[in-house]
Amino acid sequence: MASIYLLLIFLPMIAALFILLINNSSFRKAIVFLMSAILIVVALYSISQGDKSIKLSHSLNSVLEYLITFADYFLLAIIFLIATNLKNKLISLLAILQFVLMFVFEFKVGKLEVENVFFVDHLSLIMLLLINIIGPLIAIFALSYMDEHEKHLHLEKSRQNIFFAIIMLFLGAMNGLVISNNILWVYFFWEITTLCSFLLISHDQNEESIKNATRALLLNSIGGLSFVIGIIFMYYKSGTVALNEIISSQDSSILMIPIAFLSLAAFTKSAQMPFQSWLLGAMVAPTPVSALLHSSTMVKAGVYLVLRLSPVFIDTWLGGIVAVAGAFTFVSAALLAIFQSNAKRVLAYSTISNLGLIIALSSIAHRYAIYAAALLIVLHGVSKALLFLCVGSIEQGIGSRNIEDMDGIKYKMPIVAFLTLLGSVSMLLPPFGVLITKWIAIEVSTQNIVAMLEIILGSAFTVVFWTKFIGKVLSDGKEKNKVEKFEFLRHIPLMVISALVVLVSIFLTQFTNKFVVPFFKSSFARYSGVSSSNIKDLYVKDFFGFNPLVFFGVLVAAVVLGALIYRLFKPKRYVPVYMSCENSDNFAFRGEKDKVVPFEFKNYYFETLTNEKTVTLVVNVLSIALIAIMFGVILK
Amino acid sequence: MNQVLITLAAVVLSPIVGGLLTGIDRKITARMQNRFGPPILQPFYDLFKLFSKETIVVSNTQILYAFLFLMFNIVAVVMFVLKMDLLLILFILAFATTALILGAMATNSPYSRIGAHRELISVLAYEPVLIAMIVAIYFVTGSFNIEDILKHRSLLILDLPFIFIAFSYVLTIKLRKSPFDLSTSHHGHQELVKGITTEFAGPVLGLIELGHWYELVLLLLFVWLFFAKNIFVAIVAILICYFLEIVIDNISARLTWKIMLRLTWSVAFGFALVNLIWVYIKYRLL
């Protein structure tokens, strides 16, 4: 059994090595396909095995222990070198600090062996599902995308080998992150994801991408340092570095300081305010990178850590403040999304906002909050992967990622436009699951009135920016020439992900019962009367009386009814839009002396009210204050 | 069986009540303007006439959105009379509005798109107040379910006077009445081009009109919730509330969206917040 988990981690890494060394397009394609298939199969197999705690043979364990310890220092050295290369003293300093702290710590306490090397519970399984299904699909999409991307850049020598090697490394590291039990190993994989995201963001090697990648590296290095401090405190407070022992620890009060530091690390990785800027900067990278960072890797590592540690700090003051901080990110990122006309920025802010909601839900002491947090990780992952890939395709199709240029996209790129619509509708409307998690969020957040107010406002903002976005995707345009050609490599992954978006929502209760409830049962045994209450009570039949299947049933009925009504009201006549009868056509009117004056109408971005810069400044200050409060609470 | 009957009754009776109230609105408005005004049944004549016209559209999809707007409103009303979850009802109501906005944005008409965006701004203004209202009701009664809310011992208004004021405030926006009839105006006195509904005509416009009537009934049912313990008081309260909306509609001129946003967010949300905090302290902490 252990070999399965080792495969999940090391196989993609080995594949990465091959891809890197052999820069040949067909070989690369073959290996990406092969790896994708293997990853999906292996992940599904490991999931069929359920919860596991894996002990390795003593010798193998020692070898891995030394390997990872060594690789960890090596990794920090690489980051240090990169920082020197970038002439960024701050990153260098942060890398040195991590190195020194880690070294002194490991030197002083000696060997920190953990008996169960891999601790795979149902939360890990949920993450494995997300990483190993969505990740490979994005990689396959990228095969077609990067060919086109490099054509635009006019590169003499393809750099795709580096690109796909990093993606494979990234997936392996994510697998390691979610199944490792030793928090030092988690830290190692955590740092790999930091490095990978730096390399991916700077992939195009132009000034802007390097600048933004540097910022990502800087902010994530702060998180890395915070992680190291968290580990050290954790060891000295509880005498263990094993995650499974920490989350079943009986006295959570002594763990508040390490948890606060680890939460801060999670905030940086999940781009919570005030660390959001790196994720926004990350969109200069080729779109598959954004899709990967936003859906199945990187940012999900942060929320994974918070949800993993949730049993320790839930129901404490720290938990209350983490909930307020998460909900604050939810509302402020949703507000900032309203000002955006760049589709990728809208999506980025929406991700940040949803991650905030996941963090808030993870720290509210309510059974349904934990359920919703775990569900939202998956629901958001699939929808956002779809949306980013669609926006990337649109960008290559029409040469712009601005929402204002998407008029008539439904004529130009019908397939992608429809899938974009599906993706954005799944983030907002019933019967899709994201809505259900938002609904749960409001109902359970009544425990924490500040977080609740934030969620109330954020929920209103969310409706506004998604409606604007959906409105544009559906709107009429002047040009109706189809520019989209069906490409196998591009459209098949998109369609598979779309199918997943729908399937996850349809079988939401089944998914909850199969994956989320067992996670809750095992991790939160001490809380909310889990142990005393009948286990059967934990399973959900529906969400507050509403079964997603009923929702979808109603939807199907409505579609049928709609089709009938449409037949009844079948338009007899088409007319131009109303323009006081001075139309030239639908896009221009007759002005003075019958001169044709074209007009255009843009979405409102509230520029006259305030702007992104001012709002960002205010929310950054407030969120820094919240983090200060978070640390203030734990210090005694 | 009983539930089916209630559902049917709600689906059939709501538009009748909504239409009559609209007729009364037009009559009272006319009298306030020293006109004789149309007969009370005029909205029904208008609706029948709309449905007898031929279907003219700019874009096919408009029909779908108009239909969705109507359906979501009907579903919301039905869920209310079946005493389901208030928050979900509010979400459904929001989707009705979303459908209308998308319908207006589906064509390239500048008038209807301006209307659509103004409607979005209205959503931004009233949505937080409405959710705050529901959460406050939850704090007092301990439930989001109308079924349980109705079991509360006293009139909700006694605990939630400020919330009720805030709700009446946003009711003006929701009913699209002056001074907040930004997205479209029900009466001809404010504008020549009808904003969000500009591009809808004939039976398609009829669907939207019908949807509005359901919406009106649902909003008045929210008023009823505050007085539910006593049916007589509730009816009087609804009538007074509706009359006040008509008066305000007739004595005020339209304000800009910025003023609307500022006023709603400060005054209405402020009122709601104060009330919310005190019921939180009273029912949760004490």
Side-chain angles (χ1 to χ4, degrees):
Chain A
M1 199 52 215
S3 55
I4 290 292
Y5 299 116
L6 290 173
L7 268 184
L8 278 174
I9 300 173
F10 292 107
L11 198 63
M13 295 191 177
I14 295 165
L17 202 62
F18 276 105
I19 295 173
L20 185 67
L21 294 178
I22 305 169
N23 194 1
N24 173 307
S25 167
S26 15
F27 171 77
R28 190 166 49 237
K29 282 189 176 134
I31 214 162
V32 167
F33 268 114
L34 188 68
M35 270 320 299
S36 304
I38 294 177
L39 276 183
I40 292 173
V41 171
V42 175
L44 287 179
Y45 177 72
S46 69
I47 285 156
S48 70
Q49 299 297 309
D51 286 5
K52 286 266 186 254
S53 281
I54 298 293
K55 293 184 186 124
L56 296 178
S57 70
H58 186 68
S59 51
L60 184 59
N61 194 357
S62 303
V63 169
L64 270 181
E65 200 73 57
Y66 278 115
L67 189 71
I68 286 185
T69 310
F70 173 73
D72 208 359
Y73 292 122
F74 182 66
L75 195 64
L76 286 170
I78 293 179
I79 292 176
F80 177 75
L81 283 180
I82 290 175
T84 348
N85 215 357
L86 293 167
K87 298 195 179 66
N88 192 315
K89 292 207 181 78
L90 206 49
I91 301 177
S92 315
L93 180 69
L94 287 166
I96 293 174
L97 274 175
Q98 287 179 63
F99 193 100
V100 171
L101 279 174
M102 211 63 204
F103 190 78
V104 171
F105 172 63
E106 292 198 322
F107 187 77
K108 274 191 85 172
V109 299
K111 225 162 150 211
L112 282 169
E113 234 169 62
V114 170
E115 203 183 352
N116 298 315
V117 176
F118 297 130
F119 166 62
V120 183
D121 71 344
H122 271 76
L123 179 61
S124 311
L125 295 183
I126 293 172
M127 293 299 292
L128 285 180
L129 264 182
L130 193 63
I131 297 160
N132 296 299
I133 295 181
I134 301 300
L137 285 168
I138 294 172
I140 293 173
F141 176 93
L143 287 173
S144 137
Y145 185 94
M146 289 310 285
D147 282 344
E148 180 116 2
H149 184 74
E150 297 208 324
K151 245 184 255 162
H152 282 290
L153 291 178
H154 307 294
L155 291 184
E156 281 182 14
K157 191 163 167 280
S158 165
R159 297 185 73 245
Q160 283 191 48
N161 58 330
I162 305 175
F163 184 81
F164 284 97
I166 301 169
I167 285 190
M168 285 299 152
L169 176 66
F170 209 152
L171 293 181
M174 277 306 288
N175 282 334
L177 201 153
V178 299
I179 60 179
S180 295
N181 189 25
N182 186 337
I183 199 158
L184 289 164
W185 292 26
V186 176
Y187 166 71
F188 167 66
F189 292 119
W190 184 275
E191 286 300 294
I192 298 186
T193 63
T194 298
L195 182 66
C196 285
S197 66
F198 168 80
L199 294 172
L200 287 174
I201 297 168
S202 63
H203 179 76
D204 285 347
Q205 294 290 316
N206 52 35
E207 201 182 323
E208 196 191 5
S209 67
I210 290 175
K211 195 183 107 207
N212 289 346
T214 309
R215 191 188 304 142
L217 189 60
L218 173 66
L219 291 177
N220 278 298
S221 294
I222 296 176
L225 181 62
S226 181
F227 204 118
V228 173
I229 299 174
I231 293 175
I232 295 173
F233 269 113
M234 181 149 280
Y235 180 75
Y236 283 112
K237 292 271 176 187
S238 68
T240 179
V241 286
L243 273 175
N244 64 341
E245 288 173 39
I246 289 161
I247 58 175
S248 55
S249 139
Q250 288 302 315
D251 183 11
S252 61
S253 60
I254 53 164
L255 287 170
M256 286 303 109
I257 298 176
I259 298 289
F261 277 104
L262 291 174
S263 302
L264 183 65
F267 284 4
T268 58
K269 186 125 295 201
S270 285
Q272 297 295 289
M273 309 282 169
F275 305 106
Q276 80 280 21
S277 61
W278 79 259
L279 193 62
L280 293 164
M283 63 175 203
V284 298
T287 309
V289 174
S290 310
L292 202 65
L293 294 181
H294 284 258
S295 65
S296 61
T297 63
M298 198 64 183
V299 296
K300 290 288 154 65
V303 290
Y304 162 78
L305 188 66
V306 175
L307 191 52
R308 171 59 84 218
L309 296 171
S310 166
V312 188
F313 69 84
I314 202 169
D315 238 353
T316 62
W317 267 100
L318 180 63
I321 290 161
V322 171
V324 170
F328 181 74
T329 298
F330 174 65
V331 55
S332 42
L335 173 63
L336 284 162
I338 293 177
F339 301 115
Q340 309 303 321
S341 60
N342 179 324
K344 275 181 103 175
R345 279 183 89 85
V346 174
L347 298 184
Y349 273 123
S350 147
T351 296
I352 296 167
S353 171
N354 276 290
L355 295 170
L357 188 59
I358 297 172
I359 287 176
L361 285 167
S362 306
S363 36
I364 290 174
H366 192 288
R367 177 159 65 98
Y368 272 98
I370 302 299
Y371 288 2
L375 287 175
L376 194 52
I377 289 181
V378 176
L379 292 162
H380 174 261
V382 282
S383 292
K384 214 34 89 61
L386 177 64
L387 280 166
F388 266 103
L389 296 184
C390 284
V391 168
S393 287
I394 290 174
E395 189 181 359
Q396 288 193 339
I398 65 172
S400 167
R401 55 170 80 156
N402 195 319
I403 295 177
E404 293 304 331
D405 297 327
M406 291 188 191
D407 277 327
I409 194 75
K410 61 180 177 182
Y411 302 117
K412 290 181 214 159
M413 307 179 80
I415 306 173
V416 170
F418 176 75
L419 299 181
T420 313
L421 179 66
L422 176 73
S424 37
V425 165
S426 73
M427 291 296 293
L428 178 67
L429 296 180
F432 293 96
V434 176
L435 177 82
I436 293 179
T437 59
K438 248 176 230 138
W439 177 19
I440 294 175
I442 296 179
E443 301 217 347
V444 297
S445 65
T446 44
Q447 307 247 344
N448 182 332
I449 192 165
V450 183
M452 183 203 68
L453 288 171
E454 289 167 340
I455 293 175
I456 289 177
L457 293 179
S459 161
F461 296 150
T462 308
V463 176
V464 173
F465 76 80
W466 278 122
T467 309
K468 283 202 307 184
F469 188 82
I470 296 171
K472 266 295 181 198
V473 174
L474 287 169
S475 68
D476 214 2
K478 192 168 187 179
E479 284 168 46
K480 299 191 174 172
N481 301 333
K482 196 173 158 186
V483 296
E484 186 176 46
K485 284 191 290 286
F486 184 83
E487 272 178 74
F488 190 80
L489 274 184
R490 168 163 307 191
H491 287 102
I492 294 299
L494 281 182
M495 283 170 186
V496 176
I497 297 177
S498 311
L500 290 175
V501 168
V502 177
L503 287 176
V504 177
S505 283
I506 290 184
F507 297 107
L508 201 63
T509 44
Q510 287 81 351
F511 186 85
T512 313
N513 290 334
K514 185 91 182 47
F515 290 101
V516 183
V517 174
F519 154 63
F520 183 76
K521 209 165 68 188
S522 59
S523 285
F524 291 79
R526 292 189 294 130
Y527 286 93
S528 327
V530 175
S531 44
S532 61
S533 75
N534 198 341
I535 295 304
K536 276 212 176 87
D537 295 343
L538 294 178
Y539 289 100
V540 291
K541 279 199 298 293
D542 46 35
F543 296 93
F544 307 119
F546 289 89
N547 194 317
L549 287 176
V550 176
F551 263 140
F552 274 90
V554 171
L555 183 73
V556 171
V559 168
V560 173
L561 196 59
L564 287 176
I565 298 256
Y566 181 75
R567 285 183 74 85
L568 200 65
F569 290 106
K570 208 172 170 50
K572 305 279 188 317
R573 201 146 58 84
Y574 291 90
V575 289
V577 300
Y578 178 76
M579 204 76 68
S580 313
C581 303
E582 288 294 339
N583 300 51
S584 167
D585 57 14
N586 270 349
F587 303 90
F589 60 90
R590 286 193 303 267
E592 196 185 349
K593 290 181 186 164
D594 277 357
K595 210 174 99 192
V596 175
V597 186
F599 66 82
E600 60 175 4
F601 183 83
K602 289 192 169 159
N603 280 351
Y604 278 20
Y605 294 102
F606 301 88
E607 289 103 341
T608 49
L609 205 61
T610 176
N611 59 38
E612 188 187 0
K613 234 175 135 185
T614 325
V615 178
T616 304
L617 183 69
V618 173
V619 300
N620 280 350
V621 169
L622 288 175
S623 52
I624 290 170
L626 273 174
I627 288 173
I629 292 171
M630 180 170 101
F631 279 94
V633 165
I634 52 160
L635 294 174
K636 280 203 182 126
Chain B
M1 198 57 216
N2 205 5
Q3 288 206 327
V4 178
L5 282 179
I6 294 174
T7 308
L8 269 178
V11 173
V12 176
L13 288 180
S14 303
I16 297 176
V17 175
L20 278 177
L21 283 172
T22 314
I24 293 168
D25 178 355
R26 289 182 64 174
K27 195 83 185 172
I28 294 175
T29 300
R31 286 299 159 87
M32 284 179 184
Q33 298 164 350
N34 272 331
R35 291 185 287 118
F36 186 72
I40 285 177
L41 291 181
Q42 187 62 38
F44 295 100
Y45 303 147
D46 291 348
L47 191 72
F48 291 137
K49 191 171 178 189
L50 281 175
F51 277 116
S52 68
K53 291 193 166 195
E54 73 172 329
T55 310
I56 300 174
V57 292
V58 179
S59 153
N60 272 336
T61 48
Q62 285 179 293
I63 305 173
L64 172 72
Y65 300 119
F67 169 69
L68 280 177
F69 175 68
L70 174 63
M71 281 316 284
F72 275 130
N73 274 316
I74 294 179
V75 169
V77 172
V78 167
M79 285 176 64
F80 197 103
V81 297
L82 292 180
K83 301 176 185 166
M84 291 182 179
D85 190 292
L86 258 186
L87 200 53
L88 190 63
I89 293 173
L90 193 66
F91 280 152
I92 301 282
L93 199 62
F95 302 137
T97 312
T98 309
L100 192 60
I101 292 168
L102 293 179
M105 281 171 84
T107 67
N108 197 46
S109 160
Y111 297 112
S112 80
R113 282 198 180 185
I114 287 175
H117 276 89
R118 287 179 169 181
E119 185 70 28
L120 257 182
I121 294 165
S122 307
V123 172
L124 201 55
Y126 66 67
E127 197 73 5
V129 179
L130 289 183
I131 303 181
M133 169 183 90
I134 286 167
V135 173
I137 293 177
Y138 170 79
F139 282 144
V140 175
T141 63
S143 174
F144 284 101
N145 242 318
I146 299 179
E147 179 103 55
D148 303 325
I149 292 168
L150 291 179
K151 289 180 189 142
H152 188 63
R153 274 161 281 129
S154 59
L155 295 183
L156 270 180
I157 183 85
L158 299 177
D159 271 311
L160 304 169
F162 281 18
I163 291 275
F164 186 73
I165 294 173
F167 174 69
S168 320
Y169 196 103
V170 297
L171 200 60
T172 322
I173 308 176
K174 202 75 191 95
L175 292 174
R176 300 176 188 85
K177 289 196 174 293
S178 272
F180 301 130
D181 55 343
L182 291 143
S183 67
T184 184
S185 164
H186 280 281
H187 309 299
H189 60 229
Q190 288 254 358
E191 58 187 0
L192 294 172
V193 183
K194 258 182 79 73
I196 197 163
T197 48
T198 304
E199 296 303 335
F200 293 101
V204 188
L205 184 60
L207 292 176
I208 290 176
E209 202 53 42
L210 206 53
H212 281 315
W213 293 355
Y214 280 102
E215 197 181 21
L216 173 62
V217 169
L218 184 70
L219 291 168
L220 296 179
L221 281 174
F222 275 124
V223 178
W224 168 75
L225 212 52
F226 284 88
F227 305 91
K229 250 318 57 59
N230 187 325
I231 188 74
F232 178 71
V233 177
I235 291 174
V236 173
I238 289 174
L239 290 177
I240 291 175
C241 207
Y242 193 56
F243 181 72
L244 277 178
E245 293 296 338
I246 298 171
V247 174
I248 291 166
D249 189 22
N250 278 292
I251 59 171
S252 53
R254 171 180 290 175
L255 295 174
T256 65
W257 65 266
K258 269 194 214 171
I259 299 179
M260 174 183 78
L261 213 51
R262 284 203 188 113
L263 280 177
T264 327
W265 275 55
S266 51
V267 180
F269 197 63
F271 266 96
L273 203 59
V274 170
N275 206 160
L276 194 63
I277 290 170
W278 101 51
V279 292
Y280 177 75
I281 294 172
K282 191 169 161 192
Y283 287 93
R284 284 292 146 128
L285 302 184
L286 295 184

